[in-house]
Amino acid sequence: MNELSELRGLRADAPLPDADRLAAPRARLTAALHQDTRRPRAALPQRRMILVGAATAGALAVTAGIITALPANSSGTSAPKGPQVLSAGASADTLELAAATVAKHDGTEPGPKQWVYEKATVFGQGKPRTAEEWTRWDGTGHANLPGRAPAGDISDFDPDKLQVWYGPNQEEKWKKEGYDDRSQRQYYRFLDTLPSDPDRMMKRIREEHAIGDIKGETRAQRDWREINVLYRSVLIPPKVQAGLFRALAKIPGARVTTGVKDPLGRTVISVSVNYAEKVPSGWQGKQEIFFDPESYAYLGTSQGDGLVVSARDAWGVVDKPGARP
């Protein structure tokens, strides 16, 4: 990202939905789910199939918890297990309920000497690769396991030994010189300046040029890439998580699927878009973001019908490198 922008009067936040406001979408979602489970797959309404994209910097969630908590239908049976693609209306209601839920999460910022931990597995061609990473909140420390081989003589290098790096605080230097680099703390505080309203939030993000423009890319494709990047962050302010859910609901063709299994075998829900043809970013096919069905945390992503898949195994805040939540 470029240097942090001024708030420009965009801190006004939308109020959280109350129970009355959520009653209507919850009722529509309940009805839609039962209707979708009885409807042949081919009869689902067709909508424009566009979008997708992603890079990395940093984390999300949706709501299978909402689905699994729905009451049984009048015949006394529950929604069937296995993947279920929700209709456009049910998908939008699901994302709104998810947004209202994550907005209530604790948004306490870690202390400057604490570390953000992430364990992730990348599935591609060949054997899956799992790595653990620790990043000090103020940007003065970093650790990896397995370690990364240094340049030069590696005869004494042990990849199974925790590799820890400490350095000077670079935050002010990065900000002053306009570098894209940011500490976890700087990135979190930038996100905290974003308005909750999804349209204003995405406008502000695009103004930052965090991931760069791609010639010929549509606004929807760009927004999907931006959202995918933002949800890679291990820590995101709750109001921003809520705004991202609402922004996903505005992307044409986006659908929620319940009862999905991720590469680690976990039951998740996904939000997906589909590119019938290759888009300017180079992506084609189904693009998915996976979320925990109860906590609504980001659990990974899949691009191009599973050709590139990454899964977040574990994450949290710890007091020293090598510690795990």
Side-chain angles (χ1 to χ4, degrees), residues 7-278:
L7 301 188
R8 300 177 226 162
L10 294 180
R11 283 299 296 263
D13 296 330
L16 292 177
D18 55 24
D20 291 338
R21 178 182 170 189
L22 292 177
R26 183 177 291 110
R28 291 196 302 271
L29 180 57
T30 303
L33 179 64
H34 295 320
Q35 182 179 13
D36 285 349
T37 59
R38 296 192 301 268
R39 181 187 300 161
R41 180 76 174 266
L44 287 173
Q46 301 298 311
R47 293 184 69 186
R48 289 176 293 169
M49 297 175 68
I50 37 184
L51 333 171
V52 85
T56 178
L60 159 52
V62 159
T63 172
I66 293 170
I67 301 299
T68 56
L70 291 174
N73 60 26
S74 57
S75 64
T77 61
S78 300
K81 296 180 179 179
Q84 294 293 315
V85 181
L86 302 187
S87 66
S91 293
D93 286 340
T94 299
L95 292 170
E96 175 56 36
L97 288 170
T101 301
V102 299
K104 299 176 182 178
H105 287 175
D106 178 33
T108 302
E109 181 181 327
K113 296 182 179 181
Q114 289 187 293
W115 297 68
V116 176
Y117 168 79
E118 180 182 27
K119 180 180 180 181
T121 301
V122 176
F123 298 81
Q125 295 182 348
K127 184 179 179 180
R129 291 175 289 118
T130 299
E132 296 176 280
E133 187 172 26
W134 292 259
T135 305
R136 193 162 131 153
W137 190 245
D138 63 4
T140 63
H142 193 267
N144 295 90
L145 191 67
R148 298 171 183 172
D153 183 16
I154 61 172
S155 57
D156 295 331
F157 173 68
D158 182 359
D160 295 326
K161 182 179 179 180
L162 181 68
Q163 190 177 72
V164 184
W165 169 91
Y166 288 97
N169 191 317
Q170 299 289 299
E171 289 181 333
E172 288 304 316
K173 178 181 178 180
W174 291 335
K175 181 176 179 180
K176 182 179 179 180
E177 299 183 11
Y179 292 156
D180 288 342
D181 305 74
R182 286 180 177 169
S183 67
Q184 293 270 359
R185 177 167 65 183
Q186 284 177 308
Y187 194 71
Y188 185 93
R189 289 177 178 177
F190 161 72
L191 295 179
D192 202 38
T193 70
L194 298 177
S196 297
D197 176 79
D199 292 325
R200 293 166 60 200
M201 182 181 71
M202 295 310 300
K203 180 177 183 294
R204 174 77 184 284
I205 291 171
R206 288 191 297 270
E207 290 172 350
E208 290 292 325
H209 297 288
I211 59 175
D213 298 319
I214 295 179
K215 185 177 180 180
E217 191 174 42
T218 67
R219 173 69 60 79
Q221 292 165 357
R222 169 65 180 269
D223 283 354
W224 177 271
R225 283 201 303 128
E226 294 276 13
I227 292 170
N228 208 319
V229 167
L230 287 171
Y231 267 121
R232 309 292 181 85
S233 298
V234 178
L235 299 182
I236 298 179
K239 69 169 185 176
V240 178
Q241 292 187 46
L244 291 176
F245 275 119
R246 294 183 174 115
L248 282 171
K250 289 176 172 285
I251 293 180
R255 289 289 189 277
V256 171
T257 303
T258 65
V260 178
K261 291 286 187 180
D262 79 350
L264 297 179
R266 300 172 297 193
T267 299
V268 301
I269 59 175
S270 78
V271 179
S272 66
V273 292
N274 227 311
Y275 292 131
E277 299 180 356
K278 185 177 293 186

